[in-house]
Each structure stands twice: as C-alpha cells, then as structure tokens.
Amino acid sequence: MVAGASANDSVVRAVANTEQWAIAGHDYANTRFSPLKQINSANAGKLSLVYSFSLGSLRSNESSPVVIGNTLYVTTSWGPKYVYALDAASGARKWTYEPDVPDDVLQYACCDVNNRGVSFAEGKIFIGRLDGKLTALDAVTGKELWTSTVVDYKQGSVITSPPLIVRDKVITGFGGGEYGVRGALQAYDLNTGKQVWQTFTVPAPGEPGSDTWKGDTGLKGGGAAWLVGSYDPKSDTVYWGTSNPGPWNTAVRSTGNSDFGKLTNLYTSATLALDPNTGKIKWHIQGTPADAWDYDGVNENILADLTIGGSTVPTVMKADRNGFFFVANRETGKLLSAEKYTFANWAEKWDIATMRAVENPDKRPGPGRPAKDICPNLIGGKNWQPMSFNPETGLVYIPTNNMCMDFTVSDVGYKRGVFYLGAEFITKEGAGGFLGELVAWDPVANKKVWGIREELPFNGGTLTTGGNLVFSGDLRGDFRAIDAKTGKILWKKNLGSGIGAGPVTYSVDGKQYVAVVVGRTAAIPAFLGEVGKKMTAAAPEGGALFVFSVQ
C-alpha cells in the first residue's frame, strides 16, 4: 500500500506541502517537526516581531494555529469564543466565526475553558467545542456548514482539542474523567456531520474487558479521549490516549491496593490503536493499570521509524503522565521500552514482561492508607503541552514537571455534572529547586541528552525544525529559540502572559515565520496550593497571537 493512500487525500496534500502547518501536530504522526530551515541556529538571534493579534478572549489560550496556503486559522479560549482566519504573513483578518456557546460551560470543564485549535480537510475547518458540539466551517468564508452534538456537556464532557480527519470521517473524543462519564471516541461524516461510529473506551457489563471493573462501575469509569489523535496510513490505524478512571478512590472500582489482580479498569490511562473505518480497538497498552493517582493517559502519541538494534522499527512514543516514556511497535502493539524520563517514585520500574509497573506499595493511596511524597504529582511528569520529535537529531523534546503530592482517599457518591473524585491531595515541590524542565530525550538509548530547568511547572509545548531549533515558551511568558542539539538558548522574548500552547512554523512567499499563542492557565493553579500561587503571580492572564521572522 502506498503511504497516504488510505488517508484523506486533501490532508495528505496539505501535510506534504512543508510550507504549511496543516494539522495540530504538523502531520498525521504528531511529530511537530517542520523541515523549514530559513530560520536556524545561526540566525535565530535576529528574530523579531512581524505582527501580533489580540484574540479578544482572556484565560487559558492553548491553540496551535493551522496554516493552509497564506491563511492562518486560530481559536480562542471560552468555547472557543472566536475562530479567526488571518492573512498568515500580515495578520490581516479575513473572517471571524463566533459560535453560540452557553455561558455555563465553565462548571463542566474540569481543567479550564481552553481550545487547542482546528482541523482542516477538503476546504473545511472543523472545531470541537466546550458545549460538546462539533462544527464544520467553509475554510474560505467562515460560513457554518453543519454542527453536530457529540455529547451532553452537562454531564461534565467538554471538547477542547481538534478532531482527526481520516478519509471521510471526522474523529473526536471528549473530556470528563473527573465527572464520572463513560469515555468514547466517535466518528462523523465529513460532509454531513452524521455520526458514523461510536466506540466506548470503557466496556459495559458483559462486554469484553468488563471483568476488569468491580460490578458496573465502568459505566461511570472515565477513560475519556480528550486530547489529540495520531494516524498511520500504512497500517490504517488511529492512536489515541485515554484519561484516568473515575472515581479517584480505587476501592470503588478496584481493590484499593496494589494487589488489584484483573481489576485493572480497561481501557483507562492507556494508549488505544483503533480501526478508523469501524472504531474497533486493535490493541492497547495500559500505562497505569488501576490508576490511583490521576495519571491521565491522554498525552499525544508520536509515530516515528526508529533504528533499534540495527533494524528500522515502526514505533509509537508517549511521555506518559506517570513519568515513564513508552516506546512500542505501532503495528503490533508490542512494548519495546518504558523508562523514567522524569523523577517518578510511585514505581520502581515498568515491567514489560508483566505489562505492569513494579509499584512502591507505600505510594499507592487506599482506604485508611494515605500516601505521602508521591512523584510525579497528578498534573503528571508531562501534561497536555505537546512534545516534538526531530528526525535529524533523533531526540524528543518534552516539557516536563517536577512536583509531588500527598494523597488521601475518601467516600464518594456520583452526581451528574459534579466532580466524582473521592480523594484529596496536597501539592509539594519536587527536589532540586526547580518545578519544570525542558528535556531532550533519546528514545532509543532511553536517556536524557540535555535539559533546561524551569522555575515553574506547566510550561509551553514544543516545536522543532530542520534549522536545528526547538521553540518553547514558559509560564512567565518567555518565548525561546533553543539549539536542538545542545540546549543552548539562542534567543528569547517575553510576550506578557504565560505560554502553554505549542508553537508552529510556516512559510509564505519564501519567508519563514514562527507563531505562538499566549494566555496563562487560570484553573490549574487553583488545584496546586502554594505552587499554584506562584504560577498565578508569574504573569497576568492574556490572549494574543505573536508571529516572528528573521527580518
């Protein structure tokens, strides 16, 4: 089969044009690598602002723009409140779309009113919304073509990430792991918005895998697929991560201790490989069986062909929130390695033979058994902010967190649309005097090559390029160009508000640009005690797009 033949042709063509940024992760493989090198490690110090654009929406702006031709598409927080089409070279506005999003969405959005951008295919722009809807727009005019209801947001299910387009299907998940929802991935017809298939990520009683749940607790078991998917045209497989199980008190759904046997709570905190035609699950890897720490498994999966043991291996890579970096054969699902990329003491190691972590029992909280000094904290060794993979350096660039926690479980009852947790936690700073680190990781040698320590956690996603560069922002608002091989900071500019979004790069009329959205998170610090106060004090809220070039 010719690579790409089974994908959506318009997306394949858009991705093949390296001057564009056609998908949230740049390509179906989610590498966030652009071969553009007009801006490079020799001239990055000469970067200057070309234009900025106010998004008209404060709080947790997390969009990675998509660039098709000379048009840049960017979303805002709050719904999104706005979708903009801009001239990618000048910032001139072409059109604005303002969806009618209800005012009450905040109470159903666990972790803020964010939106991470759009998807493009066949002249259409697709947006997932906080009110549980999926909308298609005409890419040229911004006219609404169709809107479908994916899920009732009032159960605690919002959509914050762009969908994945495979052939004539628009595939999306939704959030809600903290609200006792039953996670699912759903596909919609690209032209009509009609639902084509639905695959629940948690089995109902009697379905395969339901015996991994206590009774019928899986029906409120979480496993939401709320971040981005990846796609391999060669094997015609979609890859998606699933969230934590609900509630956080494992005694409700499992044994409440490390001796959980078969009560692993499939398919939560896992990576799923699915058939995009039917939604059928082909295989899975559960990173944190019977998760007790909110180690949400949604983080993006990067697809790359790596040379391992002298052979080229088709791999899928994930920096899991639990602190382990997973590398698997993406065609067979065979796990190849799982090593710590950040400090993680909840487990001694991850045993590939048993497909389970060798846990430190003292770090698993249970009824009457609080646990102290668990690392990483529940925001994870890495949160949603995207990593990137540079095939020229062979390195993955990971925005990591260095925080720990105490954790106590409590009784819990389900109420629709309300947090379903059954646990309390206290955030603690990790050792070493830093709370985050940008890590360059070798996924073959399984080791850190370089790192930039950060004062705060929850820093920006990464972009890497053929110009030997990594671009990444931090919570103070410093946007940086970094030497991809050495980790040397070559240029930085403060943009006035914290940066979580992953930057993008593109070229118009022979000129390369780098773009990033700023707008500090607001909800996450509220979960993190004294550390959260530091995060909030680091920069004001914001909402703007900044575009740079070497003049």
Side-chain angles (χ1 to χ4, degrees), residues 306-435:
L306 301 178
T307 302
I308 300 174
S311 300
T312 300
V313 181
T315 69
V316 55
M317 301 181 282
K318 180 161 83 173
D320 202 290
R321 297 215 183 165
N322 64 19
F324 287 87
F325 193 93
F326 290 86
V327 181
N329 183 311
R330 68 176 181 266
E331 295 180 355
T332 65
K334 180 183 179 182
L335 189 60
L336 304 174
S337 60
E339 300 293 338
K340 296 179 183 180
Y341 65 90
T342 189
F343 182 69
N345 66 9
W346 70 276
E348 294 178 24
K349 65 176 183 176
W350 216 95
D351 190 340
I352 293 176
T354 62
M355 292 297 286
R356 294 187 181 186
V358 179
E359 291 185 16
N360 178 346
D362 293 339
K363 302 301 182 186
R364 177 177 275 267
R369 201 178 62 256
K372 291 187 175 294
D373 300 315
I374 309 161
C375 312
N377 174 278
L378 53 73
I379 69 164
K382 174 190 173 298
N383 205 268
W384 69 267
Q385 295 90 340
M387 63 183 187
S388 57
F389 171 69
N390 189 318
E392 296 175 1
T393 64
L395 301 179
V396 179
Y397 303 97
I398 314 169
T400 73
N401 303 305
N402 178 39
M403 292 197 299
C404 306
M405 63 182 174
D406 297 342
F407 206 101
T408 304
V409 304
S410 56
D411 293 337
V412 61
Y414 174 78
K415 184 178 179 181
R416 192 174 192 270
V418 176
F419 272 168
Y420 181 54
L421 304 180
E424 296 176 359
F425 62 94
I426 299 173
T427 293
K428 296 183 172 182
E429 298 188 5
F434 64 102
L435 296 178

Side-chain angles (χ1 to χ4, degrees), residues 138-203:
D138 184 292
V140 175
T141 67
K143 178 184 176 183
E144 185 174 319
L145 300 175
W146 54 257
T147 292
S148 296
T149 298
V150 175
V151 68
D152 180 0
Y153 74 96
K154 290 189 176 183
Q155 73 168 7
S157 289
V158 298
I159 304 176
T160 57
S161 298
L164 182 69
I165 317 296
V166 179
R167 282 184 293 281
D168 60 348
K169 296 177 181 64
V170 185
I171 307 171
T172 184
F174 50 80
E178 275 64 59
Y179 290 81
V181 309
R182 185 184 178 203
L185 283 162
Q186 297 169 198
Y188 294 82
D189 183 274
L190 181 149
N191 293 306
T192 67
K194 182 179 179 181
Q195 185 176 306
V196 181
W197 56 254
Q198 177 183 49
T199 297
F200 285 104
T201 54
V202 174

Side-chain angles (χ1 to χ4, degrees), residues 72-234:
L72 180 150
Y73 302 93
V74 65
T75 62
T76 75
S77 55
W78 287 103
K81 185 176 182 181
Y82 304 110
V83 181
Y84 297 109
L86 309 178
D87 183 292
S90 70
R93 183 163 35 155
K94 295 185 175 184
W95 54 254
T96 304
Y97 172 70
E98 185 175 1
D100 184 17
V101 176
D103 293 335
D104 64 350
V105 291
L106 176 59
Q107 72 189 81
Y108 304 108
C110 145
C111 307
D112 231 328
V113 287
N114 35 36
N115 183 278
R116 300 188 183 91
V118 306
S119 298
F120 166 85
E122 297 183 13
K124 301 177 182 67
I125 294 295
F126 302 90
I127 313 109
R129 298 170 24 174
L130 284 179
D131 58 357
K133 298 182 187 297
L134 179 66
T135 292
L137 306 176
D138 184 292
V140 175
T141 67
K143 178 184 176 183
E144 185 174 319
L145 300 175
W146 54 257
T147 292
S148 296
T149 298
V150 175
V151 68
D152 180 0
Y153 74 96
K154 290 189 176 183
Q155 73 168 7
S157 289
V158 298
I159 304 176
T160 57
S161 298
L164 182 69
I165 317 296
V166 179
R167 282 184 293 281
D168 60 348
K169 296 177 181 64
V170 185
I171 307 171
T172 184
F174 50 80
E178 275 64 59
Y179 290 81
V181 309
R182 185 184 178 203
L185 283 162
Q186 297 169 198
Y188 294 82
D189 183 274
L190 181 149
N191 293 306
T192 67
K194 182 179 179 181
Q195 185 176 306
V196 181
W197 56 254
Q198 177 183 49
T199 297
F200 285 104
T201 54
V202 174
E207 294 178 352
S210 62
D211 59 350
T212 65
W213 292 82
K214 185 185 288 187
D216 65 355
T217 56
L219 296 177
K220 297 181 179 65
W226 58 262
L227 206 54
V228 294
S230 310
Y231 175 62
D232 180 9
K234 184 171 180 286

Side-chain angles (χ1 to χ4, degrees), residues 477-488:
D478 286 333
F479 186 48
R480 301 159 300 183
I482 302 160
D483 187 297
K485 294 176 183 173
T486 67
K488 181 182 179 182

Side-chain angles (χ1 to χ4, degrees), residues 245-279:
W248 289 358
N249 183 344
T250 60
V252 174
R253 51 184 162 81
S254 186
T255 61
N257 57 40
S258 296
D259 187 21
F260 48 78
K262 69 178 183 180
L263 293 177
T264 58
N265 305 138
L266 290 178
Y267 291 92
T268 63
S269 299
T271 294
L272 304 183
L274 305 102
D275 182 334
N277 305 292
T278 63

